[in-house]
């Protein structure tokens, strides 16, 4: 792209990293990661429709160590995107914009996403009878 | 200098020619996904360790089949709106950008239809 000699605004790397901007890019990163996760979701449904053999294959992949690690990551990504998305919806109606509230709601969203992820996995392992 | 009245500018719908439609639909699907994704997490937890027959009969329940299809539609609609902006932000070559957007939109549609078909097959097929 030809910018000529026009002055450019300072780009991202010039700024000192702040909590709120890290959480902002994390929203996009988790959204992109969750988009990849939908491939597994559709594969799981297609395998279910295909029959027991295909379904067992998917369940074996998901149940493997790598599968569980991916699922754990997706669980946290989902809860983070979920909580931070609600934070965005509050901003959309003009609430919570002042700096203190924006920072504190960010802390809350991170804590909530970690707590909900832990809770979900504890309930999951309890359902399996592993705990 | 812009000689158009504010109403005229609004009717022009801005540089994207779509006004606030993208923004609005992204919010509508986000709100729909709040209850749907909570239901999905609950569903997955209730199906931990379940075999093919159990999961199939679960999905044959009309409420579960309908909610799963709604989840698929809301997810893929929200997903393609979000990733569209990611592509528009980071891919600068016009040709690559258009090709990426077509792959994204087409791919999302294919996955949404495939997932919905799978749900219907299980729900009706038994």
């Amino acid at each position: 792209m030809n910018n000529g000699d026009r002055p450019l605004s300072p780009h991202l790397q010039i700024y000192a990293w702040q909590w709120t901007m890290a959480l902002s890019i994390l929203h996009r990163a988790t959204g992109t990661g969750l988009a990849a996760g939908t491939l597994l979701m559709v594969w799981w449904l297609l395998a279910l429709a295909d029959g027991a053999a295909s379904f067992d294959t998917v369940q074996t992949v998901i149940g493997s160590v790598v599968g569980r690690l991916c699922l754990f990551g997706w669980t946290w990504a989902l809860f983070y995107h979920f909580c931070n998305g609600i934070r965005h919806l509050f901003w959309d109606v003009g609430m919570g914009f002042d700096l203190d509230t924006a920072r504190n709601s960010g802390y809350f969203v991170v804590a909530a996403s970690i707590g909900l992820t832990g809770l979900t996995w504890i309930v999951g392992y309890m359902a399996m009878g592993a705990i | 200098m812009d000689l158009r009245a504010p109403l005229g500018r609004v009717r022009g719908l801005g540089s994207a020619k779509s006004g606030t439609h993208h923004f609005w639909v992204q919010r509508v699907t986000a709100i729909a996904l709040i209850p749907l994704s909570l239901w999905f997490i609950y569903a997955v937890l209730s199906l931990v360790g379940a075999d093919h027959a159990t999961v199939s009969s679960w999905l044959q329940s009309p409420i579960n089949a309908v909610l799963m299809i709604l989840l698929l539609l809301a997810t893929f609609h929200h997903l393609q709106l979000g990733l569209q902006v990611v592509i528009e932000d980071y891919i600068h070559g016009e040709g690559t950008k258009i090709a990426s957007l077509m792959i994204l939109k087409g791919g999302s549609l294919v996955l949404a239809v495939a997932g919905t078909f799978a749900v219907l097959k299980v729900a009706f097929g038994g």
Side-chain angles (χ1 to χ4, degrees):
Chain A
M1 194 167 77
N2 178 24
N3 286 316
D5 288 328
R6 284 186 291 129
L8 293 170
S9 63
H11 200 51
L12 273 179
Q13 63 265 28
I14 206 83
Y15 296 104
W17 273 90
Q18 294 175 36
W19 184 246
T20 41
M21 67 193 274
L23 296 189
S24 173
I25 193 63
L26 207 53
H27 193 71
R28 181 167 273 196
T30 49
T32 309
L34 287 167
T38 60
L39 291 171
L40 175 66
M41 187 185 173
V42 172
W43 184 34
W44 186 75
L45 286 170
L46 287 172
L48 181 71
D50 192 47
S54 304
F55 187 70
D56 288 346
T57 306
V58 182
Q59 292 294 72
T60 308
V61 171
I62 295 174
S64 68
V65 175
V66 176
R68 285 182 198 206
L69 278 173
C70 288
L71 220 54
F72 187 81
W74 273 316
T75 311
W76 174 76
L78 179 60
F79 278 126
Y80 177 78
H81 201 84
F82 181 93
C83 295
N84 201 49
I86 292 172
R87 184 167 168 244
H88 268 279
L89 289 173
F90 276 102
W91 287 337
D92 290 336
V93 293
M95 290 166 68
F97 265 129
D98 59 291
L99 289 178
D100 281 345
T101 312
R103 194 185 55 240
N104 289 335
S105 64
Y107 288 138
F108 180 76
V109 157
V110 170
S113 67
I114 293 170
L116 287 167
T117 305
L119 186 68
T120 302
W121 277 73
I122 289 169
V123 171
Y125 273 111
M126 278 168 70
M128 284 172 71
I131 299 178
Chain B
M1 194 166 119
D2 193 350
L3 293 172
R4 283 177 302 173
L7 182 62
R9 266 204 301 279
V10 166
R11 284 186 179 142
L13 295 173
S15 58
K17 304 289 179 281
S18 64
T20 56
H21 184 252
H22 183 286
F23 174 93
W24 182 247
V25 177
Q26 196 166 35
R27 269 65 190 173
V28 170
T29 51
I31 291 167
L33 281 166
I34 293 175
L36 286 171
S37 47
L38 286 178
W39 166 80
F40 180 67
I41 290 161
Y42 166 76
V44 169
L45 282 176
S46 68
L47 291 170
V48 165
D51 61 4
H52 180 260
T54 311
V55 180
S56 297
S57 67
W58 173 82
L59 198 53
Q60 277 159 17
S61 147
I63 182 97
N64 292 332
V66 168
L67 286 174
M68 186 60 86
I69 291 169
L70 288 174
L71 174 71
L72 285 165
L73 298 180
T75 297
F76 282 106
H77 203 52
H78 188 77
L79 178 159
Q80 56 94 17
L81 290 169
L83 286 189
Q84 177 194 336
V85 180
V86 175
I87 288 172
E88 287 168 349
D89 281 354
Y90 300 137
I91 297 181
H92 300 305
E94 200 59 26
T96 323
K97 184 189 291 182
I98 290 171
S100 306
L101 287 172
M102 287 174 92
I103 291 167
L104 168 69
K105 304 274 168 170
S108 303
L109 184 62
V110 167
L111 288 172
V113 171
T116 304
F117 172 77
V119 174
L120 292 175
K121 183 166 182 280
V122 174
F124 292 138

